[in-house]
Amino acid sequence: MELMRLGEPGQEIPVATEDGKYFDLRSVAADIDGDFLGGGGIERVRTALKAGLPELEGAAAMRIGAPVAKPGAVLCIGQNYAAHAAESGDAPPSVPILFFKHPNTVVGAFDHVIIPPGAEKVDWEVELAVVIGKRASYLASPEEALDYVAGYAVSNDVSERSYQVEHSGGQWSKGKCCATFNPLGPTLVPAEEVGDPQQLRLQSAVNGETRQDSNTSDMIFSVAHIIWNLSQYLVLDPGDIINTGTPQGVALSGKFPYLREGDSMEISIEKLGRQEQKLVAFRV
């Protein structure tokens, strides 16, 4: 069972997909958001599926929205793969590096990504997204951290590197917060369906040519460690999204050209599905 939101922006319908069928969740939940996740929504959906839910007519032809509505926060971990830190010219971090994306960067998995006016260094980053399912604050140890995960999704932490480095003033978020810079989904896969988050292959391609091909086992800081560590400094709420870092193979490495209008990004993670975005220029 996986969770989706289908429909035009602002009009998405909550859906559960199972065995190739799409089930309408409007009798179970108003939306897939923090209130839903923190209020036992996933278990309610499982129960409702067993009891019987109507299929959503025409679902396969509908736009795929982000699987989580209105996240309160999008927290991101930088340089969490050693090879990516090296290609960035930095030593592996000794503690998780935290930066933020504006929640309104989150868009659907197949929506266009907009190149900001004058931007010349737009980059791709395949990442495992963790979606929080219950409030986490001052956790005692990493061992308990995965109990706070509702599920996982594919995330593309799109970045503008000149904004990130040259315009930043020491922080990275200016290069991360442009409109459409965080395609998410296509689905939210409950944690129980995924199993070990440190055993997932993740890949990216641009115009059909492979860019990244790695595994979450290569993370410097595991998902559990990240959640525990962040909980020592902030409160994680249901519906919050954590982007857990990207492996080597981005344009920042100098091995590949930056993205241009008309390019296509393909992003995938084992067990979580694939997404694809076309790059379009900003227009008033």
Side-chain angles (χ1 to χ4, degrees), residues 185-244:
T187 66
L188 171 63
V189 184
E192 296 82 0
E193 311 274 344
V194 176
D196 185 356
Q198 305 306 146
Q199 296 295 328
L200 302 173
R201 186 182 184 185
L202 64 174
Q203 300 172 283
S204 70
V206 175
N207 300 329
E209 297 181 358
T210 298
R211 294 292 187 259
Q212 296 169 282
D213 189 350
S214 187
N215 195 288
T216 55
S217 61
D218 291 331
M219 284 184 184
I220 297 169
F221 304 105
S222 69
V223 169
H225 185 95
I226 290 167
I227 295 170
W228 165 77
N229 180 266
L230 292 181
S231 80
Q232 308 307 305
Y233 303 97
L234 53 87
V235 177
L236 295 166
D237 281 327
D240 286 352
I241 296 167
I242 304 173
N243 287 334
T244 56

Side-chain angles (χ1 to χ4, degrees), residues 17 27 39 44 49 108 129 153 186 207 219:
T17 178
S27 64
R44 291 203 310 273
L49 282 172
N207 300 329
M219 284 184 184

